[in-house]
C-alpha cells in the first residue's frame, strides 16, 4: 500500500484477520472487515465533500466507534484528526478549532447544542452528527450509507501529521502536539513489546479516548495486534465489574481515582477478576496503599509515565517489577531513550533529581503553528524537555519526583510536592491530597496541604501533620493543612494547582 500511516490499518487488519471482532459498543460487535468497510465509505464520503490531505477533522463526543472510524478515515485521506476534550468550555473548544483550522466537526448528539454554537462562531465549520436529528446538517450514518466502500489508497508518509492533540492549557494557552503517523506507530510498538500484548486482548476503554494515554497505551496497540476494544462512554464502577466478568477483559487503563473507586466498592472482594492480565495506571501519582490493595488480589498496577508529546509512553514498570518497585515509574520504553539533566546541563548522580529529557521515534517534532514554543521545548541536540523531575537508581529504574514548576524552595532546600503528597495518601483517613508552596517570611516558602477526608469528622489535622513529620524531613512537612470537600480539577482530570492557589492562599 502507498499509505504508510494509521489509515492503512483497517485495510491491513481486514486482509489478515477479517472475522476477528474489532469493536464492541453497547453490546454491538463489529469485525475488522466491517470496520474497514465503514472507514473506507466514510473516507470516500469526506473526499467527495472536498476533504483531503492536510485538512483537519475534529471529533467531539464520548468513546464511540465513530471516534475510531473518523480517526482512520482521516488517516486514509492524509487528513489530520483533532480529538476534542468534551470537558472543555465552549470558549476553549472554539479556540482549539480556530487554532487548528478545523474544517469538519463530527459530534455526538449530546453535544449538538455546543456544535451548533461553535458553528455560529466559525461559519466555515461543517457539522456531521453521529446521531442525526432534524437540526443536523448531515448525519454520520447517512454519509457512510450513501458512499462507496471502495478501498482508497492515498500516498501518506509516516512523517506526516496524523493527529493534533491539545494540552490542557493549565499554564497558559493550549497548544497542539503534532503527532505523526510514525509517532503513533512506534508508540504502539513500544506497548506491544513492553506490555507483551497478544491478538486475543480484550481491552476495556472507559477512560476518554481524547486522552493520549487511553488512545496510545491501550486502544491503538490492541487494534494493531488484532484484538478487541470494548468502548464505554463513561466510567462506572458497577458496569466495569460487569464487563470484566462478562467480556473477560484482559487489559485496561485508568487513572488512580478509577482504580481506587473499584477497590472501595462492595463488589471488590467477590468480583471475578481472573481474566485481567494488565492494569495500566497513570495520569497522576499512584498511592502506595492502592498498589498494595491490588497486589493483595494478585493484580499488579503497571505504573508508567508519559506525556502527549511522546505519544505518550516514556517509562513503564513491568508487572514483574511492580511489587518490589512501588512508587517507581519504571524504565524507558523499548524504542525510546530517557536521560536526566541538572539545570546546568550536567548529568545528575544516581538518586539525584534531574529534569526528564526524552528522545525516540515516538516523540513529536513540535507544536501546531508554535515555532517559538517548539524551539524552547527541545535541547540543541533534539531531546524533548518534559518539565518533570525524576531520579534514577543504579539499576535504571526511574521515580518521578515532581513538576519543575511545582517545586518550591524552603530555607534553601528543594521541596517536591509529589513526595509529600505520596506520604499524605498513605494516611488511612485521607482520600485525596495536594501540596503547594506559599510565601513565608522566615523560610521564603513553606508547604500548604489541602486534603479531602474519607469520612466527615474522621481526620485529625494535628495528627496528620505528626504522621508526615515521622516520615519526612521537617522542612518538607506542610506548615498548614486545609480541609476541602473536593479538589478542583482541570479538563483532563488532573488536580488544578492554579485553582488551589487561588482558593487557599
Amino acid at each position: 500500500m502507498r499509505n504508510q500511516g494509521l489509515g492503512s490499518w483497517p485495510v491491513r487488519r481486514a486482509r489478515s484477520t477479517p472475522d476477528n471482532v474489532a469493536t464492541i459498543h453497547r453490546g454491538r460487535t463489529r469485525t475488522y472487515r466491517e470496520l474497514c468497510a465503514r472507514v473506507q465509505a466514510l473516507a470516500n464520503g469526506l473526499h467527495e465533500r472536498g476533504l483531503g490531505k492536510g485538512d483537519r477533522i475534529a471529533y467531539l463526543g464520548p468513546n464511540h466507534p465513530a471516534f475510531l472510524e473518523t480517526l482512520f478515515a482521516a488517516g486514509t485521506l492524509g487528513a489530520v484528526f483533532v480529538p476534542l476534550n468534551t470537558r472543555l468550555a465552549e470558549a476553549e473548544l472554539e479556540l482549539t478549532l480556530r487554532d487548528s483550522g478545523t474544517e469538519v466537526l463530527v459530534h455526538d448528539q449530546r453535544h449538538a447544542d455546543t456544535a451548533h454554537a461553535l458553528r455560529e462562531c466559525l461559519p466555515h465549520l461543517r457539522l456531521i452528527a453521529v446521531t442525526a436529528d432534524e437540526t443536523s446538517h448531515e448525519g454520520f450514518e447517512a454519509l457512510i450509507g450513501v458512499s462507496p466502500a471502495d478501498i482508497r489508497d492515498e500516498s501518506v508518509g509516516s512523517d506526516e501529521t496524523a493527529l493534533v492533540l491539545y494540552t490542557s492549557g493549565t499554564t497558559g494557552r493550549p497548544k497542539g502536539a503534532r503527532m505523526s503517523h510514525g509517532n503513533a506507530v512506534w508508540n504502539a510498538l513500544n506497548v506491544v513489546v513492553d506490555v507483551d500484548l497478544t491478538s486475543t486482548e480484550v481491552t476495556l476503554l472507559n477512560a476518554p479516548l481524547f486522552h493520549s494515554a487511553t488512545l496510545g497505551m491501550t486502544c491503538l496497540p490492541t487494534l494493531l495486534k488484532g484484538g478487541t476494544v470494548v468502548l464505554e462512554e463513561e466510567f462506572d464502577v458497577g458496569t466495569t465489574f460487569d464487563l470484566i466478568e462478562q467480556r473477560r477483559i484482559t487489559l485496561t487503563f485508568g487513572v488512580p481515582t478509577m482504580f481506587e473507586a473499584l477497590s472501595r466498592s462492595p463488589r471488590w472482594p467477590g468480583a471475578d477478576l481472573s481474566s485481567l492480565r494488565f492494569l495500566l495506571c497513570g495520569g497522576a501519582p499512584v498511592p502506595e496503599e492502592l498498589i498494595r490493595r491490588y497486589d493483595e488480589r494478585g493484580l499488579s498496577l503497571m505504573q508508567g509515565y508519559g506525556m502527549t508529546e511522546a505519544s505518550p509512553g516514556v517509562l513503564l514498570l513491568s508487572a514483574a517489577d511492580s511489587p518490589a518497585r512501588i512508587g517507581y515509574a519504571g524504565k524507558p520504553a523499548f524504542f525510546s531513550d530517557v536521560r536526566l539533566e541538572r539545570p546546568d546541563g550536567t548529568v545528575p548522580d544516581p538518586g539525584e533529581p534531574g529534569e526528564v529529557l526524552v528522545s525516540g521515534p515516538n516523540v513529536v517534532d513540535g507544536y501546531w503553528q508554535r515555532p517559538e514554543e517548539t524551539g524552547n521545548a527541545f535541547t540543541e541536540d533534539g531531546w524533548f524537555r518534559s518539565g518533570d523531575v525524576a531520579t534514577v537508581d543504579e539499576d535504571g529504574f526511574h521515580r518521578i519526583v515532581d513538576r519543575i514548576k511545582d517545586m518550591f524552595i524552603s530555607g534553601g532546600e528543594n521541596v517536591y510536592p509529589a513526595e509529600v503528597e505520596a506520604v499524605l495518601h498513605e494516611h488511612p483517613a485521607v482520600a485525596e491530597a495536594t501540596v503547594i508552596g506559599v510565601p513565608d517570611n522566615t523560610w521564603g516558602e513553606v508547604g500548604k496541604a489541602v486534603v479531602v477526608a474519607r469520612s466527615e469528622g474522621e481526620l485529625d489535622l494535628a495528627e496528620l501533620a505528626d504522621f508526615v513529620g515521622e516520615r519526612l524531613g521537617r522542612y518538607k512537612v506542610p506548615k498548614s493543612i486545609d480541609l476541602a470537600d473536593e479538589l478542583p480539577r482541570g479538563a483532563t482530570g488532573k488536580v488544578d494547582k492554579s485553582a488551589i492557589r487561588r482558593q487557599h492562599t
Side-chain angles (χ1 to χ4, degrees):
M1 295 183 68
R2 297 192 302 161
N3 191 325
Q4 297 300 303
L6 295 177
S8 70
W9 285 19
V11 176
R12 298 176 189 276
R13 267 286 138 222
R15 75 188 185 194
S16 298
T17 55
D19 298 320
N20 282 17
V21 175
T23 64
I24 301 176
H25 177 251
R26 294 184 179 178
R28 179 170 185 175
T29 65
R30 286 201 174 106
T31 65
Y32 279 98
R33 179 188 287 110
E34 292 171 314
L35 173 63
C36 178
R38 288 176 61 83
V39 167
Q40 296 305 312
L42 180 59
N44 287 322
L46 292 171
H47 178 75
E48 290 171 359
R49 284 150 182 77
L51 275 294
K53 179 165 289 195
D55 291 331
R56 274 74 69 202
I57 302 170
Y59 183 92
L60 179 65
N63 294 356
H64 191 280
F67 180 105
L68 298 177
E69 291 160 359
T70 305
L71 163 65
F72 288 126
T76 298
L77 296 172
V80 178
F81 183 63
V82 184
L84 299 176
N85 188 328
T86 57
R87 297 167 182 165
L88 294 179
E90 186 179 303
E92 294 173 299
L93 291 170
E94 180 192 344
L95 187 154
T96 301
L97 292 172
R98 193 181 297 277
D99 183 76
S100 61
T102 291
E103 288 92 348
V104 171
L105 173 61
V106 179
H107 66 89
D108 179 84
Q109 196 56 35
R110 73 195 69 184
H111 295 93
D113 290 343
T114 299
H116 286 283
L118 290 168
R119 193 178 185 280
E120 290 296 317
C121 304
L122 304 166
H124 70 280
L125 191 64
R126 181 178 299 168
L127 303 182
I128 299 177
V130 174
T131 307
D133 64 12
E134 65 275 6
T135 66
S136 301
H137 289 259
E138 188 161 23
F140 188 85
E141 293 298 331
L143 178 57
I144 290 176
V146 300
S147 302
D150 302 338
I151 292 177
R152 174 173 293 278
D153 185 20
E154 303 285 352
S155 178
V156 179
S158 62
D159 60 343
E160 295 182 33
T161 302
L163 301 95
V164 174
L165 294 161
Y166 278 81
T167 61
S168 59
T170 56
T171 59
R173 197 160 59 117
K175 53 186 182 290
R178 204 170 49 224
M179 185 189 296
S180 71
H181 291 274
N183 294 150
V185 170
W186 281 104
N187 181 80
L189 289 173
N190 275 338
V191 177
V192 167
V193 172
D194 291 334
V195 182
D196 200 19
L197 300 192
T198 73
S199 60
T200 60
E201 299 300 339
V202 182
T203 299
L204 176 59
L205 306 177
N206 55 5
L209 274 169
F210 57 71
H211 283 171
S212 60
T214 312
L215 182 64
M217 298 303 292
T218 55
C219 179
L220 291 181
T222 300
L223 295 175
L224 177 64
K225 285 294 293 184
T228 300
V229 293
V230 180
L231 296 147
E232 279 296 301
E233 296 172 14
E234 60 185 5
F235 170 72
D236 176 79
V237 170
T239 302
T240 299
F241 280 121
D242 291 342
L243 289 171
I244 291 172
E245 295 175 354
Q246 296 166 10
R247 295 291 182 183
R248 306 301 294 164
I249 300 297
T250 63
L251 166 67
T252 191
F253 164 83
V255 297
T257 52
M258 294 166 65
F259 288 112
E260 171 77 19
L262 291 171
S263 69
R264 295 293 179 184
S265 167
R267 291 183 62 175
W268 173 254
D272 179 3
L273 307 178
S274 59
S275 63
L276 291 172
R277 298 175 63 229
F278 305 115
L279 299 174
L280 275 60
C281 188
V286 186
E288 292 187 16
E289 195 272 336
L290 179 62
I291 297 171
R292 293 191 179 97
R293 206 178 309 148
Y294 273 77
D295 189 54
E296 290 170 359
R297 287 291 318 260
L299 300 168
S300 294
L301 288 179
M302 296 178 66
Q303 295 181 81
Y305 162 77
M307 62 197 76
T308 301
E309 292 88 347
S311 309
V314 176
L315 301 168
L316 188 68
L317 189 65
S318 72
D321 290 321
S322 291
R325 297 282 180 173
I326 291 176
Y328 283 81
K331 294 184 176 182
F334 190 82
F335 292 107
S336 303
D337 293 296
V338 172
R339 79 176 196 229
L340 304 186
E341 185 178 275
R342 294 190 184 110
D344 63 3
T346 58
V347 179
D349 296 326
E352 180 186 354
E355 183 181 6
V356 177
L357 306 184
V358 188
S359 178
N362 56 311
V363 178
V364 305
D365 66 359
Y367 298 106
W368 182 263
Q369 298 181 337
R370 297 281 199 282
E372 182 176 351
E373 289 171 275
T374 295
N376 293 336
F378 290 86
T379 64
E380 291 184 1
D381 55 350
W383 290 65
F384 179 78
R385 295 189 175 278
S386 71
D388 291 316
V389 179
T391 60
V392 60
D393 65 20
E394 294 180 349
D395 295 321
F397 290 92
H398 294 71
R399 182 192 290 269
I400 302 301
V401 180
D402 217 330
R403 292 286 295 170
I404 288 177
K405 66 181 179 62
D406 288 337
M407 185 201 79
F408 60 91
I409 301 175
S410 184
E413 298 283 356
N414 291 349
V415 180
Y416 296 98
E419 180 185 17
V420 186
E421 290 163 0
V423 173
L424 287 165
H425 277 115
E426 291 178 11
H427 194 284
V430 172
E432 293 185 283
T434 191
V435 174
I436 58 173
V438 296
D440 182 82
N441 291 333
T442 302
W443 304 107
E445 286 183 292
V446 294
K448 173 187 276 288
V450 181
V451 301
V452 177
R454 291 198 183 279
S455 302
E456 187 175 350
E458 181 182 313
L459 188 57
D460 183 320
L461 297 184
E463 188 272 331
L464 179 60
D466 291 340
F467 178 87
V468 177
E470 293 170 358
R471 290 159 175 78
L472 294 174
R474 286 190 61 186
Y475 70 93
K476 299 178 184 180
V477 178
K479 191 171 184 179
S480 60
I481 302 176
D482 290 356
L483 268 176
D485 293 332
E486 62 180 2
L487 299 182
R489 297 184 181 275
T492 60
K494 294 182 180 179
V495 173
D496 186 344
K497 293 209 172 185
S498 297
I500 290 287
R501 292 184 180 94
R502 291 194 300 269
Q503 296 170 12
H504 294 272
T505 57

